[in-house]
Amino acid sequence: MKITYIHHSCFSVELDKVTLLFDYFKGDLPKFDKDKKLYVFSSHQHHDHFNSIIFDLEKEYKNIKYILSNDINCRKSENTVFVGPNEDIEVDRLRIRTLESTDLGVAFIITLDGKTLYHAGDLNWWHWEGENTDAQNKDAGDRFKYEMKKLKDKKVDVAFLPLDSRQGEQFYLGFNEFMNMTDTKYAFPMHFWRTYSIIDKLKEMDMASSYKDRVVKINKENEVFEIEL
């Protein structure tokens, strides 16, 4: 499995027969194998997760399909599948399950050839000190933990998880809850606004001691990781 960190919450995942592209809105894309089917996922309509420029990929990649959250208002075609929260569908050889985001759209759980991948989109424990009231922060935490209970003890090969530096000292809440709730082999931080140092900050925290070695250190955009599963 070849994983490329592109920008923000965007990653590509290249497997033997297919390529998956998540939440692209800008950045330099790798040149994908045109003999493999390309699946393009967008978790919701926010500008840092979706850009209609993804449809330009059809000019270069003829064997392509789009799996989009149904809050995204864009064209409908035979190559586009829209999905909402709490759905369980099959698209070709992919089994796709969705969770409801605590912000907008969905999170994706994808199973293919015995491998399970998770892309959170904006499903996160959004705790905002000084912006939200205590009641609002509690509600956000409760809604996130409700979604995470659906994943209790689930085996996940690769997860892409928000680690947002804007949350101050609460930046780790969602990432930590996911890692404690699931059995995840590789966890890729995302949505960290180019604050790469926050990954080290997480790994150095005592509460991350049980999973820190499974958190992938990202150093730059277009960094490539070869994962053996």
Side-chain angles (χ1 to χ4, degrees), residues 73-91:
N73 184 19
C74 65
R75 65 168 202 179
K76 295 177 172 60
S77 75
E78 61 182 13
N79 291 331
T80 306
V81 176
F82 290 91
V83 62
N86 300 307
E87 292 194 24
D88 194 339
I89 65 171
E90 290 189 6
V91 177

Side-chain angles (χ1 to χ4, degrees), residues 57-146:
L57 290 168
E58 287 179 317
K59 299 172 184 176
E60 185 171 1
Y61 301 98
K62 305 303 181 184
N63 195 10
I64 189 169
K65 186 161 284 187
Y66 300 91
I67 297 97
L68 310 180
S69 172
N70 63 11
D71 68 285
I72 296 172
N73 184 19
C74 65
R75 65 168 202 179
K76 295 177 172 60
S77 75
E78 61 182 13
N79 291 331
T80 306
V81 176
F82 290 91
V83 62
N86 300 307
E87 292 194 24
D88 194 339
I89 65 171
E90 290 189 6
V91 177
D92 302 330
R93 296 168 51 240
L94 279 64
R95 181 179 177 184
I96 302 168
R97 181 183 167 200
T98 58
L99 300 179
E100 184 171 3
S101 176
T102 46
D103 189 352
L104 193 64
V106 301
F108 294 108
I109 307 160
I110 299 152
T111 303
L112 173 68
D113 296 338
K115 306 292 190 299
T116 298
L117 295 89
Y118 173 85
H119 190 283
D122 266 356
L123 174 54
N124 191 27
W125 187 333
W126 296 113
H127 184 106
W128 301 106
E129 287 292 338
E131 295 183 35
N132 287 352
T133 65
D134 289 345
Q136 288 172 324
N137 281 328
K138 182 181 183 305
D139 177 66
D142 289 345
R143 287 190 293 118
F144 179 75
K145 287 184 278 188
Y146 176 80

Side-chain angles (χ1 to χ4, degrees), residues 12 37 43 103 108 123 153 157 193 218 221 225 229:
S12 64
K37 187 152 188 177
S43 64
D103 189 352
F108 294 108
L123 174 54
D153 299 326
D157 293 292
W193 304 98
I218 300 173
E221 293 177 357
F225 304 88
L229 294 171

Side-chain angles (χ1 to χ4, degrees), residues 6 13 59 97 115 125 134 155 169 173 211 213:
I6 296 166
V13 180
K59 299 172 184 176
R97 181 183 167 200
K115 306 292 190 299
W125 187 333
D134 289 345
K155 294 184 182 299
E169 293 306 310
L173 290 176
Y211 61 77
D213 292 338

Side-chain angles (χ1 to χ4, degrees), residues 2 4 6 12 14 21 28-32 60-61 222 224:
K2 178 181 175 183
T4 303
I6 296 166
S12 64
E14 299 177 65
L21 177 64
D28 296 326
L29 288 175
K31 290 294 182 181
F32 302 126
E60 185 171 1
Y61 301 98
N222 296 105
V224 175

